[in-house]
Amino acid sequence: MNRTSIKTLGFALAAALPLLASAQLTGNVSLTTNYKFRGQDQDASKVKAVKPALQGGFDYTFGDSGFYVGNWNSSVDWLSGNSLEMDFYGGYKFKAGEVDLDVGALTYAYPGNSLGNTTELYGAATYGPFTAKYSHTVSKDYFGFAGHKLGTGRKGTNTGYLNFAFAQEVMPKVTLKAAVGFTRFASDIKDSGVPNYMDYSVGGAYDFGSGLSLGAAVVGANKKDFFGPVNKSRVIVTLTKTL
């Protein structure tokens, strides 16, 4: 983990803490043994099971209107000259009968190297312990896969990601979690030889109370022959404090 990224993230989180006095603002800080996004390691600098990442952010809800905005950050190491991921999002949550719905937009920004910048629109539906979410890329690239900014002429627009998740408390303070996702790349990316793939996560979390929780899960993805060890299954442990 890059020392500069830790300092930058630490300062950002510290600056946000005084704002948490507002009832509409919540924050979170996490330390994880490996940050995987859609089944792929976000530290590709080395092949190790343990590659710690410091993470955190905040969410602001506009009263009972259903509208919200937020920011989430993590140390990463897969883009040259960049060690920080900064996510900015906003959306609207509402109910349709017994179903909770959520629609919004999210931008993944990499301040040291904009080649990875990606923007998606998303929609999710939750019924009981089950959640289905679809994310659709509207930016011209998808995490640099199309290489649009490098002048390839290809676009990552219309890449889609579908995820099905399950979360259920099975005993006091213990929640079982499982998820499976499918990435369907835009035609320009697939034509360059990049295959669609599936990712998965199976694990659970223990709530210690006072906003502190510990989670553990087996996380990975298929198509390892193409993507390499970044898709290898890992046991990931995450300690989270909600502020």
Side-chain angles (χ1 to χ4, degrees):
M1 191 190 311
N2 186 286
R3 182 176 295 179
T4 301
S5 69
I6 295 177
K7 288 183 177 180
T8 302
L9 182 55
F11 286 142
L13 294 174
L17 290 179
L19 298 175
L20 297 180
S22 168
Q24 295 177 313
L25 188 66
T26 58
N28 59 86
V29 179
S30 298
L31 179 63
T32 184
T33 58
N34 191 338
Y35 171 30
K36 275 185 175 288
F37 175 72
R38 296 176 182 172
Q40 298 192 346
D41 290 359
Q42 297 304 287
D43 181 348
S45 64
K46 49 190 175 291
V47 182
K48 292 183 178 179
V50 177
K51 295 181 282 189
L54 178 63
Q55 305 173 331
F58 66 90
D59 293 278
Y60 185 87
T61 57
F62 294 86
D64 297 324
S65 69
F67 290 100
Y68 64 89
V69 294
N71 163 249
W72 185 84
N73 314 274
S74 179
S75 54
V76 296
D77 193 354
W78 62 272
L79 271 172
S80 175
N82 180 77
S83 57
L84 181 66
E85 173 187 330
M86 302 181 72
D87 300 348
F88 302 93
Y89 52 87
Y92 176 61
K93 294 182 178 180
F94 59 102
K95 280 186 171 291
E98 297 183 357
V99 179
D100 293 312
L101 299 174
D102 181 9
V103 294
L106 189 158
T107 291
Y108 304 86
Y110 302 89
N113 189 336
S114 63
L115 292 178
N117 291 3
T118 302
T119 298
E120 298 179 333
L121 301 180
Y122 60 83
T126 299
Y127 180 76
F130 301 98
T131 298
K133 182 177 181 178
Y134 177 71
S135 302
H136 192 83
T137 303
V138 293
S139 54
K140 292 183 178 180
D141 211 334
Y142 178 80
F143 301 103
F145 274 103
H148 184 79
K149 284 192 174 182
L150 296 176
T152 62
R154 296 190 297 267
K155 291 184 179 181
T157 309
N158 296 325
T159 293
Y161 179 71
L162 180 62
N163 181 270
F164 295 99
F166 172 86
Q168 178 69 54
E169 188 175 52
V170 293
M171 62 179 68
K173 299 185 178 183
V174 178
T175 300
L176 176 66
K177 299 181 178 182
V180 61
F182 177 71
T183 298
R184 177 194 55 77
F185 287 106
S187 58
D188 279 0
I189 297 177
K190 288 191 291 184
D191 289 347
S192 68
V194 182
N196 298 333
Y197 72 98
M198 296 183 67
D199 66 271
Y200 53 86
S201 174
V202 179
Y206 183 83
D207 184 1
F208 291 99
S210 300
L212 185 64
S213 64
L214 181 67
V218 176
V219 184
N222 67 347
K223 304 295 182 179
K224 299 180 187 67
D225 289 344
F226 179 86
F227 293 103
V230 296
N231 277 28
K232 187 175 181 179
S233 298
R234 307 287 191 190
V235 175
I236 298 177
V237 179
T238 303
L239 182 65
T240 300
K241 173 64 175 179
T242 301
L243 306 170

